Amino acid sequence: MRSDGWHLTHDLDDFLTRAHTHMRAEPSLHTVQLTVTENLRTRGLHIYGDGAPEFGVLERGGKVRASLFRTPPFWLNLTRLTGEEADALAALLVEQGRPLPGVNADPGTAAAFAEAWQRRTGATAMLRARQRLYRLGTLTAPEPAPPGRPRIAGEADRAQLLCWHKEFSEAVGPGAGRDSAEWADDRIARGDLTLWETPDGTPVAMAGLTPKVAGQIRVNAVYTPPHQRGRGYAGAVTAEVSRGAREDAGAEEVVLFTDLANPTSNRLYQRLGYRPVTDFALYTFTPAGSGTGSGAGSGPQ
C-alpha cells in the first residue's frame, strides 16, 4: 500500500528488497531492524507473536528516506523522520485504522510521532524508557577478572536460563519479549549465550550475541541476578562475548543498548571500551477511555 511516499507492506521480501541498501549503509542506526528482519527471514514470521509483521519505507526521489517495522504485539519502530513526516505517518496509520501500543525511535522522531498520535487519536502518550546505543572501540577487559571462567550455555543450563529470563522480564515489565522456555531453547540451540561461572561451577551472569548481519553483532541478554551483582561478573562476561564477536565471529561493528535510567551499566560499558552512538526513546500509548497504558519492555531485539 502506497500513500504520501510511504510503501507499507506485510511482505518481508518486498521490504528487504526496498530497504536493503538503506539499512546497511548505517548498520548501527538500523541494528534492531537488521537483526529482527534477519530473524523473521530465517526463523519464521511469527517468532515474536501471532500477528502479521508490518513493514514500510518512505521513498523520496527514488531513494529510501526512512523505514519502519512492527512485530505485533510490540510497538512501532521508526528511523529518523522530520516532524512533518512523523505527523503525516501518524495521519496515514490513523486513516488505515491501525492500532498502536507505542513507538520507538530517536528522541526527536519518537516525540514528534507520539504528539501527532495523541493529537489525532485522543490517546495518552507516555515516555516509558530511554536507551543509549553504544559501539565498541578498543576493548578493555576488566583486570583482574573475577574468579571463574566463561563457557557457552548448554542443555544442562536450561532451568537456570528459564529462571533468569523470567526475572529479567519481570524487572523490565510487560512486553519483555518471548516465552521464557522458547527463548531458552532457542539460545541453547544457537549456542550464542555465554555464562560466567565461579570456580565451583556456579553460573553467576550471562550475556548473548545476535547473529552477524551487515558485518555487525549486537550484545544482548546481559543479566546478573541481584544477589551476585557488584562482583565484576557482568563486566567479565560482557567483555568475553564482545571479544568473541570481534575476534571469533569477525564483526566489523559490535554494539549494545543500555537503559539510561541505569547509570551503573552505562559506566560499566564505557569502561569496557563502548562509546555512545545515539539515543532512543520509547513512548507507549493508552487509548482514550481505557485504563492503564501498555508496559514498557525490551521488545524483539
Side-chain angles (χ1 to χ4, degrees), residues 103-119:
V103 63
N104 187 38
D106 67 274
T109 299
F113 184 90
E115 187 279 328
W117 189 262
Q118 181 169 265
R119 172 166 38 84

Side-chain angles (χ1 to χ4, degrees), residues 142-259:
E143 291 186 5
R149 66 183 184 93
R151 66 172 176 82
I152 301 298
E155 186 61 40
D157 303 300
R158 186 175 187 274
Q160 182 68 81
L161 299 186
L162 282 170
C163 177
W164 283 355
H165 187 264
K166 290 176 181 176
E167 290 176 0
F168 175 79
S169 299
E170 290 171 359
V172 301
R178 302 165 61 191
D179 172 78
S180 293
E182 180 183 326
W183 175 87
D185 291 340
D186 191 34
R187 302 307 293 250
I188 291 169
R190 298 206 321 255
D192 61 7
L193 197 68
T194 296
L195 303 178
W196 190 271
E197 64 177 16
T198 57
D200 66 1
T202 301
V204 290
M206 69 176 179
L209 298 173
T210 64
K212 184 168 68 172
V213 186
Q216 179 190 94
I217 292 177
R218 188 169 70 257
V219 175
N220 65 5
V222 180
Y223 182 72
T224 305
H227 68 283
Q228 298 287 7
R229 293 174 188 170
R231 307 180 187 186
Y233 299 139
V237 74
T238 302
E240 173 60 22
V241 297
S242 301
R243 182 207 59 77
R246 175 172 283 174
E247 297 180 8
D248 300 337
E252 298 169 18
E253 287 189 335
V254 183
V255 298
L256 55 75
F257 282 103
T258 65
D259 182 350

